[in-house]
Amino acid sequence: MRSEAGATLPLKAAAIGGLLFLHIPLALIVLYAFTTEEKSFQFPPPGLTLRWFGAAWFDRPDIWGPLWLSLQVALLATLIALVLGTLAAAALWRARFFGKDSLSLLFILPIALPGIITGIALRSAFDIMSVPFSTWTIVLGHATFCIVVVYNNALARFRRLSPGMIEASMDLGASGAQTFRYVILPQIGSALLAGGMLAFALSFDEVIVTTFTAGQQATLPIWMLNELIRPRQRPVTNVVALIVIAVTFLPILAAYYLTREGEHTGGAGK
């Protein structure tokens, strides 16, 4: 018993150290969004204020364009991912053929590859096909990894779905569309919702792939990256970063609660 207690303390210390390492930078962003100091970052801050929130809301109209573009891209990429990811998961769940595991690996590969590789590949493809950079090139770039998140969640839930339910529905005269609507969709709905929210969060704060597919446009994360070279605007940038944290954290938290009943739900640990 003593040896177990002795071994637990280093593990607890390591866990606490890991959490602090991950979250102290986020806490500093939140703290300095309220600082009264405009240029330098003293610790502790000389004072706290809400004026930078007002400055971001009323005095910086250049924020709204990138914010709206980020929301558009995230929503469109999520919709594409929900359709294609669900269809791909359903096809691989039902089908039995040689090379199925290899094909499944190819679906997961885009999220495993470094973002810079995906970005370079997409930019090269767009250049070869003479596709002009637009909102849709960003959407297609984001969809490459959003599809993976939805695919993982949908496939994991499909694997827990009894084929007998589908067979019974068809035996009772239901069409394929009716079977999907009344039998399959209620079973996989929470997994799709969780996958969609994870995909939205990943798309909303994506930087690397966006850099290669945006052209002259700027999403909100790209806007923040450009603002870092302006020291006087750093508190406003921290306010925007705080908004991005909230927008991405809430869908991920909701997705976690939607999928926590099954430890094998794909994407729950991302």
Side-chain angles (χ1 to χ4, degrees):
M1 296 297 292
R2 289 182 179 179
S3 61
E4 289 181 4
T8 301
L9 287 176
L11 289 175
K12 288 182 177 179
I16 293 172
L19 288 172
L20 291 175
F21 177 78
L22 289 172
H23 294 290
I24 282 178
L26 297 178
L28 290 175
I29 288 177
V30 174
L31 178 63
Y32 285 107
F34 296 91
T35 183
T36 56
E37 188 65 34
E38 185 175 4
K39 292 177 60 178
S40 63
F41 289 100
Q42 305 176 23
F43 188 84
L48 299 177
T49 181
L50 292 173
R51 73 184 178 107
W52 303 116
F53 288 83
W57 185 268
F58 297 108
D59 301 334
R60 295 298 302 270
D62 55 312
I63 295 174
W64 299 106
L67 175 60
W68 174 237
L69 179 61
S70 291
L71 290 172
Q72 279 184 301
V73 169
L75 287 171
L76 290 171
T78 300
L79 288 174
I80 293 173
L82 284 170
V83 174
L84 298 183
T86 304
L87 292 175
L92 287 180
W93 170 63
R94 294 285 289 177
R96 298 290 185 271
F97 56 90
F98 177 75
K100 177 180 175 179
D101 292 339
S102 298
L103 185 58
S104 182
L105 178 62
L106 290 177
F107 272 105
I108 300 173
L109 190 61
I111 207 168
L113 289 174
I116 191 169
I117 301 299
T118 303
I120 292 173
L122 287 167
R123 189 177 184 92
S124 299
F126 293 146
D127 286 338
I128 291 171
M129 294 184 291
S130 299
V131 176
F133 293 107
S134 65
T135 301
W136 285 107
T137 56
I138 308 175
V139 170
L140 293 176
H142 288 200
T144 57
F145 53 83
C146 290
I147 288 173
V148 180
V149 177
V150 175
Y151 169 81
N152 279 342
N153 278 274
L155 185 60
R157 188 60 59 88
F158 273 126
R159 287 171 175 167
R160 295 163 55 191
L161 183 63
S162 172
M165 297 176 62
I166 299 175
E167 294 173 3
S169 175
M170 303 297 282
D171 288 341
L172 291 171
S175 64
Q178 289 174 323
T179 300
F180 178 79
R181 179 180 178 183
Y182 295 110
V183 178
I184 298 177
L185 190 58
Q187 298 295 320
I188 67 170
S190 61
L192 294 183
L193 183 59
M197 287 188 290
L198 284 170
F200 180 89
L202 287 174
S203 174
F204 187 80
D205 67 358
E206 213 291 320
V207 174
I208 300 175
V209 174
T210 310
T211 303
F212 288 92
T213 58
Q216 299 300 315
Q217 300 180 99
T219 59
L220 196 61
I222 298 296
W223 179 90
M224 292 167 56
L225 191 63
N226 293 333
E227 288 295 305
L228 290 177
I229 63 175
R230 303 175 182 176
R232 288 185 177 274
Q233 304 302 324
R234 193 71 58 83
V236 174
T237 307
N238 286 333
V239 169
V240 177
L242 182 58
I243 295 171
V244 172
I245 291 172
V247 170
T248 54
F249 173 74
L250 293 176
I252 291 173
L253 181 64
Y256 167 75
Y257 280 106
L258 282 170
T259 57
R260 64 177 178 172
E261 76 276 3
E263 61 178 359
H264 301 295
T265 302
K270 293 187 183 300

